[in-house]
Amino acid sequence: MIRVAVIGGGAAGMMAAIVSAKSGASVTLFEKMKFTGTKLRITGKGRCNLTNNCSVNEIIENIPTNPRFMYAALAAFPPEKVMNFFEDAGVPLKTERGNRVFPVSDKASDIVEALRREMRSCGVRVIFDRVTDILVKNSDSGVEISGIKVASRPDVLSFDRVIVATGGLSYPLTGSDGDGYAFAEKLGINVIPAKPSLVPLEICERFCRDMQGLALKNISVRAVEVSSGKTLYEDFGEMLFTHFGVSGPVILSMSAHLRDIKPEKYKIFIDLKPALDEKTLDKRLISDFEKEKNKNFINSLSALLPAKMISVFVTRSGILPERKVNSITKVERAKLLSLLKSFELTVKSPRPIAEAIITSGGIDIREINPKTMESKLIPGLYFAGEIIDVDAYTGGFNLQIAWSTGYLAGLSASS
């Protein structure tokens, strides 16, 4: 019987362990945290957006980094099979806006528990210990896996195959602290430097902190490269102002499109009223100002803007707060219109990688067989999940990558 070690008890690791065990291997999963599925429990704000109910081609379109690498894994375990797996494991699912799939219960813990039940039922042994080294030996056919070492024991634990599913560098408190990169580099495997993806953005303008906690809904955003004027990303939805800048769904998705972020390289333009074209919005302004014509300007905007934004908006308009509304000129109204349709922010930097949802970078895909997830340099060594240099946008696509690569690695390692 083939002996398989899985390092990492996250989404990819647990899936790899289950599939490998069901395929006839003797499987031991090593997890250095106190529980398996620690990061999985907090995904989707604790609801777990476990996949996207769409075609393989649509998944590929939502993977900006090395999408072609994923064809074989997604073909082997597409979204439909992922959903069938969890429903067969006792978790009813539902599809929401944007084809995002969640447990009907809205509890990420149900997904974790389902994976734990499946591991128990197929005989996966789980050991809570930190793997410190992956060992190889020379053979007639070249280098091959010999086993692993763990923190609590001086001896070598013998295995025929090892699957590394240790995650990236995002949310290090959940166990993703770069162990897998160190294993790979020690074995001579190339690692693409890790960068944050799906991460909040720091903004140059200091007024963001004045709007800290303000959530904007039903707005549209546009990211522009300053040097070329090229629009790199557009989206509609929700965002949040913070003490450092901006966050929220549309900002996290945007961040995946902004590569090599440097101060003032990119600008963000927010359309606060995307449902209204400029002509219609101008009529709305005229109507509102007519009703408020004897008020001070700063007291006339409550029907148009959230309270936390009014003071910032007035300052940016250049119109004195105490000006009477009936004295505002057509030119000044045009400036207000421009602010409403194109509220400008200058990107300074991404937040630290520890705050990112996903890590971009990792094991170089040129050194992994995409049909098996096996290392091209070391037979018997496999990779799965976020540790691989593949990442996607929000919407369940990154967990789909974890399930698919975990599935394929587990299947391949047991054959």
Side-chain angles (χ1 to χ4, degrees):
M1 182 180 286
I2 295 173
R3 299 165 299 171
V4 176
V6 179
I7 307 174
M14 286 191 283
M15 181 60 73
I18 291 164
V19 173
S20 199
K22 285 185 175 180
S23 300
S26 171
V27 181
T28 305
L29 182 145
F30 294 87
E31 170 55 54
K32 65 186 176 186
M33 304 298 285
K34 293 181 179 179
F35 307 98
T36 52
T38 305
K39 184 177 178 181
L40 195 53
R41 283 182 174 275
I42 62 174
T43 60
K45 297 180 180 178
R47 296 178 63 215
C48 192
N49 178 192
L50 70 149
T51 187
N52 195 281
N53 190 0
C54 65
S55 68
V56 167
N57 283 337
E58 287 174 295
I59 297 286
I60 293 293
E61 289 170 3
N62 282 277
I63 300 175
T65 306
N66 300 319
R68 294 178 64 83
F69 175 82
M70 285 300 302
Y71 271 113
L74 288 168
F77 203 49
E80 180 182 3
K81 288 188 177 180
V82 171
M83 290 185 285
N84 289 340
F85 172 89
F86 283 104
E87 292 196 316
D88 290 345
V91 185
L93 304 176
K94 60 182 177 179
T95 301
E96 297 187 358
R97 180 177 60 85
N99 292 324
R100 290 167 165 84
V101 179
F102 295 89
V104 169
S105 65
D106 286 328
K107 293 180 180 178
S109 58
D110 286 354
I111 297 296
V112 176
E113 291 307 317
L115 291 164
R116 288 176 176 171
R117 285 195 302 271
E118 289 296 305
M119 286 198 296
R120 286 195 297 269
S121 71
C122 60
V124 174
R125 184 186 181 196
V126 179
I127 295 178
F128 294 98
D129 203 346
R130 186 186 194 110
V131 174
T132 58
D133 206 358
I134 299 173
L135 303 174
V136 297
K137 62 184 178 182
N138 293 317
S139 67
D140 294 340
S141 57
V143 176
E144 62 182 39
I145 289 293
S146 62
I148 65 171
K149 294 192 74 173
V150 296
S152 65
R153 294 176 57 168
D155 55 326
V156 175
L157 305 180
S158 296
F159 289 96
D160 306 303
R161 315 278 166 82
V162 174
I163 301 172
V164 182
T166 49
L169 287 173
S170 57
Y171 295 114
L173 292 178
T174 66
S176 299
D177 59 6
D179 278 1
Y181 302 149
F183 296 148
E185 288 174 338
K186 186 176 180 181
L187 293 169
I189 295 168
N190 189 45
V191 177
I192 306 300
K195 296 178 294 184
S197 184
L198 302 183
V199 66
L201 298 173
E202 296 190 10
I203 298 298
C204 294
E205 289 84 4
R206 295 176 64 85
F207 57 68
C208 286
R209 69 183 59 185
D210 297 329
M211 297 186 285
Q212 180 179 347
L214 172 62
L216 297 179
K217 297 183 178 182
N218 301 319
I219 50 88
S220 65
V221 294
R222 182 167 55 96
V224 173
E225 185 179 50
V226 174
S227 62
S228 66
K230 181 181 179 182
T231 295
L232 302 176
Y233 182 75
E234 292 182 89
D235 201 359
F236 175 88
E238 300 178 20
M239 64 171 287
L240 174 73
F241 285 101
T242 70
H243 67 284
F244 56 76
V246 288
S247 187
V250 297
I251 299 299
L252 297 177
S253 294
M254 176 188 291
S255 70
H257 295 257
L258 308 183
R259 300 293 174 172
D260 189 28
I261 299 176
K262 297 175 182 176
E264 302 185 10
K265 182 177 180 180
Y266 301 107
K267 284 190 178 289
I268 299 171
F269 296 92
I270 307 168
D271 186 343
L272 298 165
K273 302 293 177 182
L276 303 177
D277 59 29
E278 289 195 8
K279 185 176 180 180
T280 305
L281 184 55
D282 191 36
K283 288 181 180 178
R284 163 78 184 274
L285 275 175
I286 293 170
S287 174
D288 284 1
F289 283 178
E290 178 61 29
K291 295 174 186 175
E292 311 282 357
K293 60 185 178 182
N294 294 318
K295 286 188 176 182
N296 290 346
F297 175 50
I298 196 167
N299 297 324
S300 69
L301 299 169
S302 58
L304 199 64
L305 295 168
K308 271 195 173 183
M309 196 172 204
I310 290 175
S311 180
V312 171
F313 190 86
V314 169
T315 300
R316 297 201 82 183
S317 74
I319 301 172
L320 292 174
E322 298 81 14
R323 279 270 302 278
K324 296 298 181 183
V325 171
N326 58 18
S327 70
I328 292 174
T329 67
K330 185 177 180 179
V331 171
E332 289 170 328
R333 198 176 72 242
K335 176 68 181 295
L336 297 175
L337 187 65
S338 177
L339 276 174
L340 287 166
K341 297 297 288 182
S342 193
F343 191 85
E344 182 180 319
L345 303 172
T346 308
V347 178
K348 179 181 179 182
S349 65
R351 289 294 285 173
I353 197 167
E355 296 180 27
I357 293 176
I358 290 294
T359 303
S360 182
I363 307 301
D364 191 337
I365 60 157
R366 293 171 296 183
E367 298 186 4
I368 302 174
N369 184 339
K371 295 181 179 179
T372 62
M373 297 296 128
E374 186 176 23
S375 167
K376 291 179 180 179
L377 301 179
I378 301 175
L381 179 64
Y382 299 78
F383 296 99
E386 193 179 348
I387 191 172
I388 301 171
D389 184 23
V390 180
D391 59 273
Y393 304 138
T394 57
F397 303 109
N398 285 291
L399 269 178
Q400 178 63 50
I401 291 171
W403 307 132
S404 293
T405 56
Y407 177 93
L408 193 52
L411 189 67
S412 304
S414 62
S415 64

